[in-house]
């Protein structure tokens, strides 16, 4: 225990005793340990989920078919499309080594890559109706060979090479198509109005019990069910290069925005590669980045294009906004500058501060009960109220986009 | 190609043996870790809001993460890693749950449900059983009154007795942030205890100086 450690509070001894008397049921213990041993031994498919997903039995059948088909679907699809990159091109995409991985690089592939896509017809069926073009390209993994990745591009041929590029990351277990629907085409409207090239990035299928319920659903490497050999920082990096090569886009400013674990992934990618991204917005990230996820963003002399970080969080009524900013600054490895708190409307606070090297940090907080991404069931009153609050996050006075544009050096 | 070189038989045999030994050691370590800390993972997940239908998946997911990251876990820090992972996975589950609130309204654990009964059954017998069940209920109320970050810190520090430095390292927070959240969480828990008429018997601690007028 060090000097700052407050020590265990004796007042809670009774609660502590009751808590620690609780034991896992024997049946649960046996099942869980057995599945974990099997998974560790790499025997076959990932352990089955104990609770079946409701109303998605057909999806389980599709998943089983995709597993049976293995990588054949992947290869045949990409070859049919002509999108399979030549070997030299594939090799040019270098995975970004994370600090922890650098210490112990996987000598062999730890487990088979997830079967993907669920079904070839799912790759672009939905997007044709939504004004998006679905594309696939290959990236390298950490020890498991090449893996095809997908993204959706909003096709607007009038954009110039220097137009800002906005890459949107969906939440873990969701799909890019869902982001479009859940945000009521908000990013599409913004892209059209502000002349921005818009891309919806797609995660990869989970390999654990957290498999997505939706077509083209994926997780990011910050999610618990992510395959350990898939590097999403490298995927986002390759995505920018791919857009530059194919469409001449992304020569100007590149912004990342993500919801939930997509927000955390966006933060991670921006902090790992501050020379590539101009701004990052994370909406309701599950946590702040870990120390191992921090890159050279605050290092003196590091090449840095990143100038602004925007975080949208829910906040309990008794949580101090200034303390929240200090906590986040500390999590990002920096002292916070002066903190300015602005009350935008009842329950909504805007907290501004600066990090080392003049990096601007803005946090917008909403009351805990409001979820700005309410899901497809948009008819409920809560969802309606939440969609009205969306401008506060990305497209209004003081919101992310305005913040990005104004936070110029 | 290295694989085409003909290495002396002794070299290859000793290399194979050493790899097998390493793998066996890792296997033993994982089994010991999982068996020893499964109860702690389970109750941490319960305190952090895992519901009856998802607790097994949650514990399973934590063990999968531990299995995957076993080589990255420092010796002696297994418990802290496992519990911090449980907190993260529970947070992920809760976030998804909020989004599916309508569906989950039907799944809410009923009074006297499986886990409630199990908690009673695993508590000490006789009078202490009732006392501990009441304490768990009070604990639940107090934890529900906290924000999620406060709840995580309270469970890891006060209930599982991890050190602030361990929590800070595992969750990627500054130690000052952990202490600050802990103080606020304690205040919330004390208020909850004081509102409950039977609280002094359960908590058995001194009155809260912060809440004195």
């Amino acid at each position: 225990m060090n000097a700052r450690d407050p020590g265990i509070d004796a007042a809670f001894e009774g609660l502590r005793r009751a808590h620690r008397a609780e034991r896992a049921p024997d049946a649960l213990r046996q099942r869980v340990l057995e599945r974990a041993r099997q998974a560790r031994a790499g025997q076959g498919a990932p352990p089955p989920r104990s609770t079946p997903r409701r109303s998605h039995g057909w999806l389980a059948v599709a998943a089983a078919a995709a597993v049976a088909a293995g990588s054949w679907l992947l290869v045949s699809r990409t070859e049919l499309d002509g999108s399979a990159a030549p070997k030299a091109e594939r090799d040019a995409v270098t995975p970004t080594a994370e600090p922890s991985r650098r210490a112990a690089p996987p000598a062999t592939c730890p487990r088979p890559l997830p079967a993907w896509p669920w079904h070839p017809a799912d790759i672009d069926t939905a997007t044709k109706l939504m004004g998006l073009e679905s594309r696939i390209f290959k990236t390298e993994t950490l020890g498991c060979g090449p893996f095809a990745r997908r993204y959706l591009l909003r096709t607007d041929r009038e954009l110039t090479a220097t137009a800002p590029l906005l890459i949107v990351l969906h939440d873990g277990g969701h799909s890019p198509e869902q982001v479009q629907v859940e945000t009521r085409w908000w990013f599409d409207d913004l892209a059209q109005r502000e002349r921005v090239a818009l891309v919806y990035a797609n995660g990869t299928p989970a390999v654990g019990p957290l498999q997505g319920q939706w077509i083209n659903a994926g997780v990011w490497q910050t999610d618990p069910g992510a395959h350990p050999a898939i590097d999403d920082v490298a995927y986002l990096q390759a995505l920018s290069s791919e857009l530059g090569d194919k469409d001449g886009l992304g020569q100007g400013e590149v912004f990342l925005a993500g919801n939930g674990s997509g927000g955390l992934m966006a933060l991670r990618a921006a902090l790992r590669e501050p020379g590539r991204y101009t701004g990052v917005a994370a909406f309701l990230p599950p946590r702040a980045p870990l120390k191992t996820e921090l890159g050279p963003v605050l290092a003196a002399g590091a090449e840095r294009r990143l100038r602004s970080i925007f975080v949208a969080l829910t906040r309990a009524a008794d949580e101090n906004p200034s303390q929240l900013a200090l906590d986040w600054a500390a999590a990002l490895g920096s002292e916070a500058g002066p903190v300015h708190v602005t009350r935008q409307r009842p329950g909504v606070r805007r907290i501004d501060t600066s990090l080392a090297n003049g990096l601007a940090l803005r946090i917008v907080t909403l009351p805990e009960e409001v979820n700005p991404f309410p899901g497809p069931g948009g008819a409920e009153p809560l969802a309606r109220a939440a969609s009205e609050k969306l401008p506060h996050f990305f497209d209004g006075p003081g919101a992310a986009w305005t913040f990005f544009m104004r936070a110029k050096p | 190609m290295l694989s085409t070189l003909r290495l002396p038989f002794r070299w290859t045999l000793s290399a194979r043996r050493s790899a097998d030994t390493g793998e066996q050691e890792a296997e033993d370590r994982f089994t010991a870790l999982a068996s020893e800390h499964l109860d702690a993972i389970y109750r941490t997940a319960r305190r952090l809001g895992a519901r009856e239908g998802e607790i097994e998946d949650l514990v399973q997911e934590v063990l999968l993460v531990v299995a995957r990251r076993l080589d990255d876990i420092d010796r002696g820090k297994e418990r802290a890693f496992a519990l911090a992972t449980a907190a993260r996975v529970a947070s992920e589950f809760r976030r998804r749950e909020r989004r599916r609130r309508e569906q989950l309204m039907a799944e809410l654990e009923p009074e006297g449900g499986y886990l409630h009964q199990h908690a009673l059954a695993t508590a000490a017998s006789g009078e202490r059983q009732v006392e501990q069940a009441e304490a768990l209920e009070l604990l639940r109320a107090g934890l529900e009154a906290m924000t999620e970050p406060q709840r995580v810190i309270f469970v890891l520090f006060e209930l599982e007795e991890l050190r602030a430095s361990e929590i800070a390292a595992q969750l990627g927070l500054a130690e000052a942030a952990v202490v600050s959240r802990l103080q606020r969480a304690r205040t919330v828990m004390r208020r909850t205890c004081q509102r409950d008429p039977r609280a002094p018997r359960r908590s058995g601690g001194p009155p809260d100086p912060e809440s004195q007028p």
Side-chain angles (χ1 to χ4, degrees), chain A residues 295-328:
Chain A
V297 61
L298 298 170
E303 183 202 357
R304 184 171 66 84
R305 198 175 174 187
L306 190 68
R307 58 177 189 241
S308 49
I309 299 176
F310 181 98
V311 185
L313 299 169
T314 53
R315 183 178 66 86
D318 63 342
E319 197 166 10
N320 184 343
S322 301
Q323 185 61 44
L324 196 63
L326 297 179
D327 288 353
W328 266 81

Side-chain angles (χ1 to χ4, degrees), chain A residues 176-189:
Chain A
E177 287 89 344
Q178 270 178 285
V179 178
Q180 203 185 32
V181 175
E182 288 180 9
T183 59
R184 316 295 197 268
W185 283 260
W186 196 274
F187 289 113
D188 293 71
D189 289 347

Side-chain angles (χ1 to χ4, degrees), chain A residues 319-409:
Chain A
E319 197 166 10
N320 184 343
S322 301
Q323 185 61 44
L324 196 63
L326 297 179
D327 288 353
W328 266 81
L332 294 170
S334 168
E335 295 282 326
V339 179
H340 303 284
V341 181
T342 312
R343 182 175 177 272
Q344 285 196 301
R345 55 187 289 182
V348 181
R349 299 282 187 280
R350 197 179 73 207
I351 309 157
D352 281 303
T353 187
S354 59
L355 305 179
N357 290 358
L359 190 64
L361 170 66
R362 170 168 292 179
I363 300 175
V364 167
T365 64
L366 282 181
E368 272 190 313
E369 65 273 14
V370 175
N371 179 358
F373 293 88
E380 57 163 332
L382 177 64
R384 277 204 301 273
S387 66
E388 287 167 9
K389 292 186 181 348
L390 198 59
H392 286 275
F393 278 143
F394 211 79
D395 188 25
W401 191 252
T402 321
F403 174 58
F404 285 158
M405 293 295 112
R406 283 185 185 163
K408 295 192 175 177

Side-chain angles (χ1 to χ4, degrees), chain A residues 1-2 4-29 31-33 35-37 39-41 47-51 53-54 100 104 111 171-174 182 207-211 213 219 223-228 259-261 284-292 314-320 323-324 327-328 330-331 368-371 373-375 377 380 382, chain B residues 23 26-27 30-31 34-35 38-39 42-44 46-47 53-57 59-61 63-65 67-70 72 79 88-89 91-93 95-96 98-103 107 114-115 118-119 122-123 128 131-132 135-136 138-139 147-150 154-155 157-165 168-177 179-184 186 188-191 193 202-206:
Chain A
M1 187 181 295
N2 65 29
R4 299 170 75 181
D5 203 320
I8 301 295
D9 194 330
F12 303 123
E13 184 54 38
L15 303 179
R16 195 174 304 121
R17 252 199 328 267
H19 166 77
R20 298 192 77 146
E22 200 172 356
R23 299 275 180 274
D26 287 342
L28 180 147
R29 167 185 286 271
R31 283 196 302 270
V32 165
L33 285 176
R35 282 195 220 116
R37 278 193 207 106
R40 177 150 178 82
R49 189 181 165 83
S50 66
T51 47
R53 303 269 187 202
R54 60 178 67 179
S100 58
R111 61 193 301 179
D171 195 1
H174 282 210
E182 288 180 9
V207 292
L210 294 178
Q211 286 182 352
Q213 302 180 39
V219 296
D223 285 312
H227 191 286
N259 170 32
S261 64
L284 308 181
R287 58 173 170 81
L290 301 176
K291 280 177 187 166
T292 54
T314 53
R315 183 178 66 86
D318 63 342
E319 197 166 10
N320 184 343
Q323 185 61 44
L324 196 63
D327 288 353
W328 266 81
E368 272 190 313
E369 65 273 14
V370 175
N371 179 358
F373 293 88
E380 57 163 332
L382 177 64
Chain B
E23 185 57 36
E27 186 68 38
F30 174 72
T31 306
S35 308
L38 193 135
D39 284 331
Y42 172 84
R43 58 185 182 239
T44 298
R46 290 282 293 133
R47 295 293 91 76
E54 65 187 18
I55 184 79
E56 187 166 335
D57 284 336
V59 175
Q60 185 77 72
E61 185 57 35
L63 289 187
L64 285 177
V65 173
R68 202 168 61 218
R69 301 277 312 275
L70 193 64
D72 298 336
R79 186 162 181 273
R88 274 196 288 272
V89 176
S91 166
E92 175 79 5
F93 271 60
R95 197 166 46 75
R96 286 168 194 227
R98 277 200 292 273
R99 197 165 294 115
R100 295 193 297 260
R101 188 176 300 171
E102 277 190 349
Q103 293 177 22
E107 289 184 3
Y114 162 70
L115 286 176
H118 175 72
T122 53
R128 282 192 63 197
E131 205 169 294
Q132 294 207 355
L136 283 178
L138 180 64
L139 190 54
T147 64
E148 189 162 338
Q150 292 168 359
F154 187 87
V155 170
F157 187 91
E158 286 292 354
L159 303 183
E160 288 297 333
E161 300 183 78
L162 295 184
R163 288 197 300 272
S165 54
Q170 292 294 338
L171 296 183
L173 296 170
E175 207 173 321
V179 175
S180 152
R181 286 179 193 181
L182 177 66
Q183 301 298 357
R184 280 180 276 162
R186 281 173 169 172
V188 173
M189 184 57 83
R190 284 184 188 122
R191 278 186 201 146
C193 290
R202 292 175 189 160
S203 60

Side-chain angles (χ1 to χ4, degrees), chain A residues 273-293:
Chain A
E273 297 199 345
R276 176 174 295 272
Y277 304 105
T278 309
V280 56
F283 305 104
L284 308 181
R287 58 173 170 81
L290 301 176
K291 280 177 187 166
T292 54
E293 293 169 343

Side-chain angles (χ1 to χ4, degrees), chain A residues 70-317:
Chain A
S71 57
W72 178 83
L73 282 176
L74 199 65
V75 173
S76 61
R77 179 70 192 184
T78 47
E79 282 176 353
L80 280 174
D81 286 347
S83 58
K87 186 175 183 310
E89 199 176 316
R90 285 203 308 267
D91 291 346
V93 180
T94 312
T96 309
E98 297 291 322
S100 58
R101 285 176 178 160
R102 195 180 295 137
T108 55
C109 187
R111 61 193 301 179
L113 287 167
W116 186 90
W118 299 108
H119 190 279
D122 293 336
I123 293 177
D124 55 9
T125 305
T127 58
K128 285 175 183 167
L129 303 173
M130 297 179 171
L132 300 173
E133 185 182 334
S134 174
R135 290 183 179 178
I136 288 175
F137 69 110
K138 285 200 174 185
T139 59
E140 198 59 49
T141 57
L142 298 161
C144 293
F147 187 64
R149 298 297 302 260
R150 175 179 186 263
Y151 67 95
L152 306 180
L153 171 68
R154 185 187 158 79
T155 48
D156 188 344
R157 301 297 175 200
E158 295 172 7
L159 291 176
T160 60
T162 54
L165 169 64
L166 173 62
I167 302 175
V168 178
L169 284 72
H170 58 78
D171 195 1
H174 282 210
S175 68
E177 287 89 344
Q178 270 178 285
V179 178
Q180 203 185 32
V181 175
E182 288 180 9
T183 59
R184 316 295 197 268
W185 283 260
W186 196 274
F187 289 113
D188 293 71
D189 289 347
L190 178 83
Q192 195 169 18
R193 196 179 61 244
E194 303 283 341
R195 316 295 299 157
V196 176
L198 177 65
V199 167
Y200 291 99
N202 203 161
T204 55
V207 292
L210 294 178
Q211 286 182 352
Q213 302 180 39
W214 314 97
I215 292 170
N216 296 321
V219 296
W220 303 103
Q221 68 183 93
T222 47
D223 285 312
H227 191 286
I230 292 177
D231 185 349
D232 287 317
V233 177
Y235 158 64
L236 292 171
Q237 172 191 341
L239 180 53
S240 306
S241 308
E242 154 107 353
L243 288 167
D245 294 345
K246 280 195 177 170
D247 306 275
L249 295 173
Q251 309 301 310
E253 298 168 326
V254 182
F255 298 93
L256 290 175
N259 170 32
S261 64
L264 178 59
M265 187 62 233
L267 279 173
R268 178 176 180 151
L271 295 168
R272 298 291 310 161
E273 297 199 345
R276 176 174 295 272
Y277 304 105
T278 309
V280 56
F283 305 104
L284 308 181
R287 58 173 170 81
L290 301 176
K291 280 177 187 166
T292 54
E293 293 169 343
L294 295 179
V297 61
L298 298 170
E303 183 202 357
R304 184 171 66 84
R305 198 175 174 187
L306 190 68
R307 58 177 189 241
S308 49
I309 299 176
F310 181 98
V311 185
L313 299 169
T314 53
R315 183 178 66 86

